[in-house]
Amino acid sequence: MQGNRMTITVIIVLSAMVAALGWLWFDKNFEKRTKIERSAMGEEARRNPLLAAEIFLRRLGLEVQSQSGRAYLMQPPEDEGLLFVRDLGPPLPQVSVDKLLTWVEQGGHLVASPSGQQEAGRADPLLQKFGVSLLHLDEEEEEFDRGALFLPNLNEGLEVDFDQQRWFEIDADFEGVSPVVSDSQFLVFPWGEGLVTLVSDSEIFTNQQISKFDHARLMAHFAPERGRAWLLYSAQMPSLFTLVWQWFPYLVVTIVAMILLIVWRMSRSSGPKLTVEETARRDLLEHLLASGEFAWRNDQKSGLLQGARHQVEKRWLSAHPVLQQLDQQARCDWIAKHTGLTSSAIYQTLYPNKGDSAQLIKNTVNLQRLLAALHPDRKVK
């Protein structure tokens, strides 16, 4: 018994030593590395070009909300914070500009980039409020010097890749608030307890550009120490369906459910099922009799004999080729000599005429006699 315990103890000690030696060998021959694989841009990133900026601001401790449309431009949020507008879009009404500036005056920070497609002869009221106009070149310069952007509370300038084809110009005769930061692509104006920052090129904050140069540091400079941030990544109004779904989701669900219910109900049969009656096929002679009665009732008597006349005359011409060289009257005279019928009776029988019902019956009998004359073995009653 004591020998078995000794054997088990030795096995356990040897196993622990082997495991320790294996771990030391693995630790010296392998090292942990982090591998970053870039995948295709996700659907949310394609929809929201400021998604990377949103994630960055959240890591700074802010409550961030991204959306499209012009709702916050028409009616600013109630709380203080950062309102970042990627593109102001068409000029805002003066009432909306006054609301925005009132929100800034109470401590908000508005960062906006004017649209590069302003209507001709129509200035932006927000830019006019600060005596600023946006200029741009149509032709791209080959080389330019990227100057540093100096901001308050920063000892060094920021390297920012602004679009050099767009820049701001301040009216020299403008009598109003002066910018605390004046750069050709970056202007900061104090307004009450808040700030209005105008950026000539907001594309530096998009998903593809924010990680380059000092773009992220510039975004961090906008961020307040505490509060909220609203990022408007598009000035386009949402579609009608999006607005209806946003404000009346229960109504949309109810309408869709009713449509599905109506389609399902229409696909179901109602009432007793009708038996399918199969009509028996009519006999051919019965069909011919019905067609003849229909033609007789609708005064189409002359058409009843048209086919029979043509067939009888065709057979006579085939049996006696000499008739092909004669006219109608001469044919009737020749046939009369060989049948015993009068020439006038044969003419009325073979060729269309307007007769009464009695004449129709006579013509029918004469056609049978003419056909029998070609075949003497047939008897006509």
Side-chain angles (χ1 to χ4, degrees), residues 98-376:
D98 295 338
K99 291 182 179 180
L100 271 177
L101 295 180
T102 300
W103 176 79
V104 173
E105 188 176 1
Q106 296 174 355
H109 186 183
L110 173 63
V111 180
S113 177
S115 174
Q117 300 178 351
Q118 297 288 344
E119 298 181 12
R122 185 180 180 186
D124 193 309
L126 182 61
L127 298 184
Q128 282 186 330
K129 202 74 175 179
F130 300 96
V132 177
S133 58
L134 178 65
L135 305 178
H136 58 86
L137 290 177
D138 296 332
E139 298 181 358
E140 185 176 356
E141 296 180 0
E142 296 182 357
E143 297 181 358
F144 56 87
D145 295 331
R146 184 184 298 110
L149 177 63
F150 292 93
L151 300 177
N153 302 326
L154 289 180
N155 298 327
E156 58 181 353
L158 299 180
E159 188 177 6
V160 183
D161 188 21
F162 285 118
D163 183 5
Q164 300 298 315
Q165 310 308 312
R166 296 159 53 96
W167 70 92
F168 291 121
E169 184 179 64
I170 301 178
D171 187 2
D173 299 331
F174 178 74
E175 297 180 358
V177 59
S178 300
V180 293
V181 177
S182 180
D183 188 89
S184 57
Q185 277 89 22
F186 191 88
L187 298 174
V188 179
F189 293 90
W191 192 266
E193 297 181 2
L195 296 173
V196 176
T197 301
L198 300 178
V199 183
S200 65
D201 179 21
S202 62
E203 295 301 312
I204 60 175
F205 303 109
T206 57
N207 298 331
Q208 296 83 359
Q209 300 292 329
I210 193 171
S211 62
K212 300 179 181 179
F213 301 101
D214 293 329
H215 300 165
R217 290 186 61 188
L218 182 58
M219 176 61 74
H221 179 77
F222 298 148
E225 295 181 359
R226 56 184 179 83
R228 303 182 59 183
W230 297 270
L231 306 181
L232 302 185
Y233 57 85
S234 175
Q236 299 296 328
M237 290 297 295
S239 62
L240 178 60
F241 179 79
T242 303
L243 291 176
V244 173
W245 174 255
Q246 180 180 358
W247 294 100
F248 309 101
Y250 298 109
L251 176 62
V252 175
V253 173
T254 302
I255 293 176
V256 172
M258 289 183 61
I259 292 176
L260 294 177
L261 181 61
I262 292 173
V263 172
W264 174 82
R265 186 65 184 88
M266 293 177 63
S267 64
R268 309 289 296 178
S269 60
S270 60
K273 294 185 177 180
L274 299 176
T275 57
V276 180
E277 298 181 358
E278 296 183 359
T279 57
R281 297 183 62 183
R282 301 181 62 180
D283 186 74
L284 180 59
L285 294 179
E286 185 180 359
H287 176 72
L288 294 176
L289 180 60
S291 300
E293 291 179 353
F294 176 80
W296 187 276
R297 289 195 305 267
N298 292 275
D299 196 19
Q300 299 178 2
K301 307 179 185 63
S302 58
L304 293 175
L305 296 181
Q306 186 64 29
R309 285 170 169 171
H310 178 72
Q311 290 296 328
V312 171
E313 183 181 19
K314 181 179 180 181
R315 292 188 179 186
W316 271 93
L317 295 175
S318 178
H320 303 283
V322 67
L323 296 175
Q324 298 180 4
Q325 302 176 2
L326 305 177
D327 58 6
Q328 293 181 354
Q329 187 61 46
R331 290 176 185 176
C332 294
D333 295 340
W334 192 93
I335 295 174
K337 295 178 181 180
H338 295 78
T339 58
L341 296 174
T342 62
S343 177
S344 60
I346 295 174
Y347 188 89
Q348 292 181 357
T349 301
L350 292 180
Y351 303 108
N353 54 20
K354 295 182 180 180
D356 52 7
S357 300
Q359 183 62 40
L360 178 64
I361 296 174
K362 291 179 181 180
N363 291 340
T364 304
V365 174
N366 290 336
L367 283 174
Q368 294 179 354
R369 291 178 178 177
L370 289 175
L371 185 61
L374 289 173
H375 306 280

Side-chain angles (χ1 to χ4, degrees), residues 28-164:
K28 289 186 176 182
N29 291 274
F30 295 92
E31 62 178 349
K32 184 178 180 181
R33 293 183 179 180
T34 303
K35 183 179 180 181
I36 300 176
E37 294 184 359
R38 295 189 177 274
S39 59
M41 186 179 297
E43 180 180 356
E44 186 178 1
R46 290 193 298 268
R47 178 185 60 85
N48 180 9
L50 298 180
L51 178 62
E54 176 184 348
I55 297 174
F56 176 70
L57 291 177
R58 283 179 178 172
R59 291 179 178 178
L60 295 180
L62 297 180
E63 182 179 352
V64 188
Q65 180 182 359
S66 295
Q67 68 177 35
S68 63
R70 299 166 64 85
Y72 282 139
L73 295 179
M74 300 298 180
Q75 183 62 45
E78 297 180 357
D79 301 331
E80 298 179 3
L82 169 66
L83 178 58
F84 183 92
V85 185
R86 180 187 171 210
D87 187 352
L88 283 172
L92 294 171
Q94 188 61 46
V95 177
S96 300
V97 173
D98 295 338
K99 291 182 179 180
L100 271 177
L101 295 180
T102 300
W103 176 79
V104 173
E105 188 176 1
Q106 296 174 355
H109 186 183
L110 173 63
V111 180
S113 177
S115 174
Q117 300 178 351
Q118 297 288 344
E119 298 181 12
R122 185 180 180 186
D124 193 309
L126 182 61
L127 298 184
Q128 282 186 330
K129 202 74 175 179
F130 300 96
V132 177
S133 58
L134 178 65
L135 305 178
H136 58 86
L137 290 177
D138 296 332
E139 298 181 358
E140 185 176 356
E141 296 180 0
E142 296 182 357
E143 297 181 358
F144 56 87
D145 295 331
R146 184 184 298 110
L149 177 63
F150 292 93
L151 300 177
N153 302 326
L154 289 180
N155 298 327
E156 58 181 353
L158 299 180
E159 188 177 6
V160 183
D161 188 21
F162 285 118
D163 183 5
Q164 300 298 315

